[in-house]
Amino acid sequence: MSLKQKVKKSLFWTFSDQIVVQFANLFFGLFIARLLGPESFGIVGVVLMFTNFAQLFVDMGFGAAIVQNQQLTSQQYASVFWLNCIMASFIYLLLYFLSDFAALFFNQPILSSVIKVSSLTIILNATSIVQFNVLIKSLNFKKKVIINWGSLFLGYVTAIVMALNDYGVWAIVAMYLVNSIVQVFMVWVDSKWYPTLRFEMAVIRSIWHFGLPAFGDNVLNYWSRNFDNFIIGKCLGTTQLGIYSRAYSLMLLPVKNLSSVVSKVFFPAFSQRQDDLSILADNYLKLIKYIAVLTFPMLFGLSLVSKEFVLLFLGEKWLSMIPVLSILSIVGALQSIVTLNGVIYYSLGKTKIAFRISLLVNFVLLVSFFVGVQYGIKGVAWSYLLANILLFYPVYTTAISLLNLKISRIFTTLKSVIAATFAMAVGVYLIALILNVTLLHAFILKVSFGLFIYLWVLYQLEPKFIETVLLQIQMQIKRVRNEDN
């Protein structure tokens, strides 16, 4: 199978995965949130800040290095595997002994036991990092998708059963544990690669030049996405953090589940074609257009119907989330494009540039969050939006310049999508002024009317593009069915 065929098949499976994951996270996540309330999600939000950050130290950028480096052998993977396991064990012990301090710092006694139990996922996940990256490197996303679906649904079933039986925050903790256990079990049963009892420091040093800057960039990017959670959790409390983090996760669903589809598939593909900048640039322009066509109307639309969405699906106790979700959804639209910068930096081996850009981003975000928290979670959301607007030009132009692209060409590529999204926003705003119906009817009318305007304007501006997209989807579905048969 050619690289082009592998990419198309991988894109189909990854996109299918993200559609299923997005609907599962949305449906089950909203149901669990309605049962448990903001405080439980705030406590878990604090815990995830530490466990997800610790996970970066387990991987240390070597996962990306495995995908990017085409010369590594299966024997060399073993050294990375054992390093991951050693680091995971050390970090678990560190979090175990620091959990009491975290509970005192955030004034939440239950945090101590929740951190100790939740941190077990760090050790579990460490035993499957190499296997998952080997699958990504070979563009074998079908297996990865099956594993992901199995672990996701079993985790959610566990959480719902425990939430209905009043286990509170432990329902969410159990969900993450079950997810990790099932994922590790399935990947080890299905994997064709198993580690040998071999560890060579020379192997670690040979990929350290890529892994270390990638690790540094990941650390900085992580905190640029979590400084707000840390500051809110400390200054405003876990209930406010629960409201903010839930709004943030809803905004992040389209960003993660659409933009990351492209990142996961095209990072290994771009790495194999990293010497041909003209082809990479052309493909990149196509990618951002496909992403923007979906994320722009979804996120700007979510901003416009935030009131109806929150009250219908989450209830009155999440009322203060409405303005936060409305603001953060606009942030998500910008990030859906900017998040592909990582594909450019990593596939071209420019992780040092990515690290320097992350330093700038983190400094600006840190200052903005400290100012915004003085005005509550709504202030933090506004500061996040203003910081993203301020950073967009320098951050984005630095990345696309590596592909010999200019910002003017990006806007030319996206002009029809931007115009259709603007028309949709104006239409939904105007119809909202004259609506005098129930919440459910208002939600349905706004979504339907907005979608109609968006698709009609987009088709008027680029009929060939819409026809091509529909044709490619039909062809890809037929191709995958034929290959599987």
Side-chain angles (χ1 to χ4, degrees):
M1 188 183 296
S2 68
L3 177 61
K4 185 177 181 179
Q5 290 175 318
K6 284 184 178 181
V7 168
K8 286 184 176 181
K9 188 172 182 179
S10 298
L11 188 60
F12 172 82
W13 277 107
T14 310
F15 189 69
S16 300
D17 178 38
Q18 297 303 327
I19 290 175
V20 172
V21 168
Q22 179 149 324
F23 277 104
N25 286 337
L26 185 62
F27 178 77
F28 293 120
L30 290 174
F31 183 67
I32 294 170
R34 195 177 184 96
L35 289 173
L36 298 180
E39 187 171 5
S40 293
F41 279 86
I43 292 169
V44 171
V46 172
V47 174
L48 290 178
M49 271 195 298
F50 295 108
T51 56
N52 289 344
F53 180 59
Q55 191 65 49
L56 297 178
F57 284 87
V58 176
D59 181 78
M60 297 184 72
F62 291 122
I66 288 173
V67 178
Q68 197 270 347
N69 193 323
Q70 303 299 308
Q71 308 302 320
L72 293 179
T73 65
S74 60
Q75 291 295 321
Q76 292 172 312
Y77 295 153
S79 297
V80 177
F81 174 87
W82 292 116
L83 180 64
N84 289 340
C85 292
I86 292 169
M87 289 299 299
S89 301
F90 173 76
I91 290 169
Y92 174 77
L93 291 174
L94 184 64
L95 287 176
Y96 186 93
F97 289 113
L98 290 177
S99 59
D100 291 338
F101 172 76
L104 184 64
F105 182 81
F106 288 99
N107 195 29
Q108 281 287 350
I110 196 174
L111 269 177
S112 177
S113 53
V114 173
I115 289 174
K116 288 172 182 174
V117 176
S118 297
S119 297
L120 291 170
T121 59
I122 297 171
I123 297 176
L124 290 167
N125 293 338
T127 63
S128 62
I129 291 175
V130 172
Q131 288 95 325
F132 269 120
N133 281 287
V134 170
L135 288 175
I136 293 172
K137 185 173 185 174
S138 62
L139 295 174
N140 190 349
F141 283 86
K142 183 178 179 180
K143 286 184 179 180
K144 187 175 182 297
V145 167
I146 293 171
I147 292 169
N148 194 34
W149 286 352
S151 60
L152 177 75
F153 285 107
L154 286 174
Y156 270 127
V157 168
T158 303
I160 290 171
V161 170
M162 293 184 68
L164 289 171
N165 286 277
D166 299 322
Y167 280 90
V169 68
W170 291 106
I172 309 175
V173 174
M175 178 184 71
Y176 286 111
L177 277 173
V178 170
N179 188 296
S180 294
I181 291 169
V182 174
Q183 197 170 78
V184 170
F185 175 78
M186 292 181 71
V187 79
W188 274 82
V189 168
D190 194 64
S191 179
K192 293 182 179 179
W193 177 86
Y194 297 98
T196 58
L197 293 174
R198 178 177 179 177
F199 180 82
E200 296 181 9
M201 199 62 201
V203 173
I204 303 300
R205 286 194 294 266
S206 68
I207 57 177
W208 190 253
H209 70 282
F210 181 92
L212 183 59
F215 166 67
D217 178 50
N218 287 336
V219 168
L220 291 175
N221 277 330
Y222 178 81
W223 281 112
S224 72
R225 292 183 180 273
N226 286 275
F227 274 139
D228 47 355
N229 290 332
F230 183 85
I231 294 169
I232 291 170
K234 175 58 181 172
C235 298
L236 303 178
T238 52
T239 299
Q240 292 297 298
L241 175 58
I243 292 169
Y244 181 88
S245 63
R246 193 65 200 145
Y248 188 91
S249 64
L250 285 170
M251 170 274 286
L252 212 59
L253 275 177
V255 178
K256 287 180 65 177
N257 295 312
L258 291 174
S259 298
S260 67
V261 169
V262 177
S263 298
K264 289 175 182 176
V265 174
F266 282 90
F267 170 42
F270 274 30
S271 296
Q272 296 177 34
R273 301 293 295 271
Q274 56 191 276
D275 296 325
D276 198 334
L277 289 181
S278 62
I279 291 179
L280 292 183
D282 289 339
N283 286 331
Y284 176 78
L285 292 173
K286 293 177 183 178
L287 293 179
I288 61 170
K289 189 168 185 177
Y290 282 120
I291 288 172
V293 160
L294 295 172
T295 58
F296 279 24
M298 288 176 67
L299 287 161
F300 278 100
L302 181 59
S303 179
L304 292 164
V305 300
S306 58
K307 177 183 176 181
E308 293 83 0
F309 183 88
V310 170
L311 293 177
L312 280 172
F313 297 106
L314 291 171
E316 292 284 344
K317 56 187 169 184
W318 292 89
L319 186 66
S320 55
M321 194 178 94
I322 293 171
V324 178
L325 179 60
S326 182
I327 297 164
L328 290 181
S329 296
I330 302 173
V331 176
L334 293 173
Q335 290 192 353
S336 67
I337 300 300
V338 177
T339 193
L340 290 182
N341 288 0
V343 177
I344 298 174
Y345 291 131
Y346 283 28
S347 61
L348 297 178
K350 303 294 184 180
T351 52
K352 290 183 179 179
I353 298 176
F355 179 73
R356 289 195 291 267
I357 289 295
S358 293
L359 286 174
L360 169 66
V361 170
N362 277 268
F363 174 75
V364 173
L365 287 176
L366 183 60
V367 172
S368 67
F369 290 148
F370 273 118
V371 173
V373 78
Q374 308 302 318
Y375 304 94
I377 55 174
K378 189 176 177 181
V380 175
W382 273 114
S383 68
Y384 200 6
L385 174 59
L386 294 174
N388 271 267
I389 293 172
L390 178 66
L391 289 166
F392 182 82
Y393 183 82
V395 170
Y396 196 53
T397 53
T398 300
I400 63 175
S401 65
L402 298 175
L403 298 177
N404 297 325
L405 292 172
K406 294 183 178 180
I407 195 71
S408 58
R409 193 170 177 191
I410 302 297
F411 281 111
T412 300
T413 302
L414 299 180
K415 64 182 180 181
S416 59
V417 179
I418 295 172
T421 303
F422 179 76
M424 177 199 73
V426 172
V428 172
Y429 176 78
L430 291 176
I431 196 175
L433 297 177
I434 61 173
L435 284 178
N436 186 23
V437 294
T438 64
L439 277 174
L440 179 59
H441 290 149
F443 180 75
I444 294 172
L445 286 171
K446 284 184 176 182
V447 172
S448 302
F449 187 64
L451 183 61
F452 172 77
I453 293 176
Y454 176 76
L455 292 175
W456 184 81
V457 173
L458 188 63
Y459 185 77
Q460 296 304 312
L461 295 174
E462 290 202 49
K464 290 185 179 179
F465 173 73
I466 299 297
E467 292 167 1
T468 301
V469 170
L470 294 175
L471 181 61
Q472 287 181 345
I473 292 173
Q474 292 175 354
M475 291 175 61
Q476 185 62 29
I477 292 173
K478 290 180 181 178
R479 183 181 294 110
V480 172
R481 284 177 176 173
N482 292 335
E483 289 173 356
D484 290 340
N485 292 332

